[in-house]
Amino acid sequence: MQTIELGRSGLQVSRVAFGCMSTVPNPTYDGVADQQAIAAIRGALDHGINFFDTAPGYGNGASEELLGRALEGVRDQAIIANKISSQTMDAQEVRTECEKSLKLLRTDVMDLYQIHWPRGVVPLDETLKAMEKLVTDGKVRHLGVCNFGLEQLADGLGSGVPLVSNQIVYSLLARAVEIDVAPVCMENNMGLLCYSPLAQGLLAGKYANADEVPPERGRTRHFSKDRSQSRHNEPGCEEAAFAAIAGVRAVAERLGHSMADVSLAWLLHQPGVACVLAGASREDQVARNAAAADIALSAEDLAELDRVTAPVKAAMGPSLDMWATPSRIR
Ligand SMILES: NC(=O)c1ccc[n+]([C@@H]2O[C@H](COP(=O)([O-])OP(=O)(O)OC[C@H]3O[C@@H](n4cnc5c(N)ncnc54)[C@H](OP(=O)(O)O)[C@@H]3O)[C@@H](O)[C@H]2O)c1
């Protein structure tokens, strides 16, 4: 497994990371049995994955607790990325939430601590300075953000607090980050951590058509605002999305790989991308996702994947927010 330095942190993270959201019940996933999830996490280590991303929001602490349990005895082999997603993100909440997460994770220190979503309740500067204090106190090693657009990045970088990463939705079906956020992150040595790299299974070929996509995975702006769980006001672009999926499938078949492998490998070839945070509910998925890091795509393959997904990129527009209008990302 290739590793990469995350920003200028000195952390050497595996380019395929394990996203822990799908291991526990939450609004998108049903979750899996603890033993199955623990086997997937331990299996990830065996396959060279050393980077694990979780959040208090994934099952209200359940994902952190499960990750802590799974890493018992092997904590030193893992790099833990966690998030803060409290209501206000004021200094007091930052500290309280951090302490709670450390307990659930059964560790004294988190390697990367990220703002989950920009909230704008208190000034960003207050949140970041409180997070920086956690670094000084040895509770956290490095800081990052998630879902930050240009304005929020300018504010964050302007605070002077060192930020090593921006975790953002990025996949062959969600390419808005390429427009202007990726270049800014690259200029500022912030690694891109790509979440939902398989578009929650769409790019693994899990669904033959839009009607098969269950409501909880059909909340994104790819799908119509009329879907039961949608929080946006757009018509969606289901036709373009499934045409893109068919195009990715054709490339994958030609290359003799799975769609999931090709989708992850494509991301790992994109400028500024540090890691893909691939979710997985079973150990065999983890094994396949880890292997995707070794797939070399030619310039022609990359161009073909760009071409077949360009219409869905255009249809989704410049917003980095997959779920909501108005967007919370500025
Ligand atoms: N910062 C944020 O706001 C944010 C938001 C979303 C996600 N994230 C992070 O990103 C991680 C991943 O995102 P995600 O779960 O939304 O989407 P994802 O990684 O695109 O999709 C994960 C799902 O794809 C399926 N899958 C995975 N590997 C597969 C394979 N090799 N073959 C076939 N199917 C496969 C599994 O579905 P089944 O379970 O149905 O088998 C799995 O649960 C999360 O765990 C979380 O850490 C962050």
Side-chain angles (χ1 to χ4, degrees):
M1 168 68 64
Q2 300 164 34
T3 59
I4 192 169
E5 181 181 5
L6 189 57
R8 293 231 170 106
S9 64
L11 290 176
Q12 285 290 331
V13 292
S14 53
R15 295 207 73 204
V16 175
F18 186 104
C20 297
M21 181 164 79
S22 49
T23 55
V24 295
N26 63 66
T28 307
Y29 294 104
D30 295 336
V32 295
D34 281 11
Q35 282 321 308
Q36 184 175 327
I38 289 170
I41 292 167
R42 298 292 283 231
L45 285 172
D46 294 339
H47 295 292
I49 294 176
N50 69 358
F51 194 27
F52 298 86
D53 180 72
T54 184
Y58 304 158
N60 194 20
S63 163
E64 294 168 289
E65 194 277 332
L66 191 119
L67 181 62
R69 232 181 324 138
L71 294 178
E72 191 85 80
V74 288
R75 168 67 185 94
D76 59 335
Q77 296 173 34
I79 295 173
I80 296 179
N82 199 8
K83 312 191 186 80
I84 167 144
S85 40
S86 78
Q87 286 309 305
T88 66
M89 308 267 209
D90 68 21
Q92 184 55 50
E93 275 193 355
V94 167
R95 180 150 294 257
T96 312
E97 194 167 311
C98 171
E99 303 278 2
K100 190 172 165 193
S101 290
L102 287 170
K103 273 205 190 80
L104 287 169
L105 285 163
R106 304 181 188 205
T107 188
D108 298 329
V109 59
M110 292 182 278
D111 302 286
L112 178 67
Y113 203 34
Q114 310 156 100
I115 293 180
H116 198 157
W117 276 92
R119 290 233 189 272
V121 180
V122 300
L124 180 60
D125 204 53
E126 175 178 342
T127 306
L128 287 174
K129 291 278 156 52
M131 291 170 77
E132 194 175 34
K133 181 76 172 52
L134 298 173
V135 178
T136 314
D137 293 348
K139 294 177 185 297
V140 166
R141 292 204 169 97
H142 299 280
L143 300 177
V145 296
C146 310
N147 300 302
F148 267 38
L150 285 187
E151 237 180 279
Q152 289 147 342
L153 281 173
D155 289 351
L157 291 163
S159 73
V161 174
L163 299 171
V164 302
S165 54
N166 189 13
Q167 185 179 140
I168 212 88
V169 67
Y170 194 8
S171 73
L172 279 162
L173 294 184
R175 298 179 51 191
V177 66
E178 295 169 357
I179 298 170
D180 45 21
V181 167
V184 170
C185 291
M186 284 163 72
E187 277 160 30
N188 291 283
N189 298 305
M190 296 174 79
L192 287 178
L193 301 179
C194 310
Y195 76 69
S196 304
L198 298 173
Q200 301 187 329
L202 287 170
L203 284 167
K206 205 175 158 82
Y207 308 106
N209 55 54
D211 293 338
E212 283 189 7
V213 179
E216 62 280 8
R217 296 196 198 186
R219 295 183 294 144
T220 64
R221 292 188 298 105
H222 297 100
F223 302 94
S224 157
K225 64 179 174 8
D226 299 327
R227 294 250 173 171
S228 61
Q229 296 189 19
S230 108
R231 287 184 289 127
H232 65 82
N233 57 19
E234 298 181 16
C237 53
E238 295 177 2
E239 216 172 292
F242 275 85
I245 291 167
V248 175
R249 181 178 289 113
V251 174
E253 281 174 3
R254 176 168 60 73
L255 296 176
H257 292 299
S258 73
M259 288 176 67
D261 285 354
V262 166
S263 301
L264 296 177
W266 175 83
L267 273 173
L268 292 172
H269 283 71
Q270 300 311 307
V273 167
C275 307
V276 294
L277 306 180
S281 49
R282 299 193 313 267
E283 192 183 347
D284 62 294
Q285 291 177 340
V286 180
R288 290 208 303 275
N289 296 345
D294 296 327
I295 296 176
L297 296 174
S298 70
E300 290 74 28
D301 300 333
L302 294 169
E304 178 68 359
L305 290 164
D306 275 352
R307 193 185 64 73
V308 298
T309 57
V312 73
K313 178 181 178 182
M316 290 296 280
S319 174
L320 286 167
D321 197 325
M322 270 305 93
W323 293 281
T325 40
S327 171
R328 298 154 288 179
I329 304 177
R330 297 187 321 269

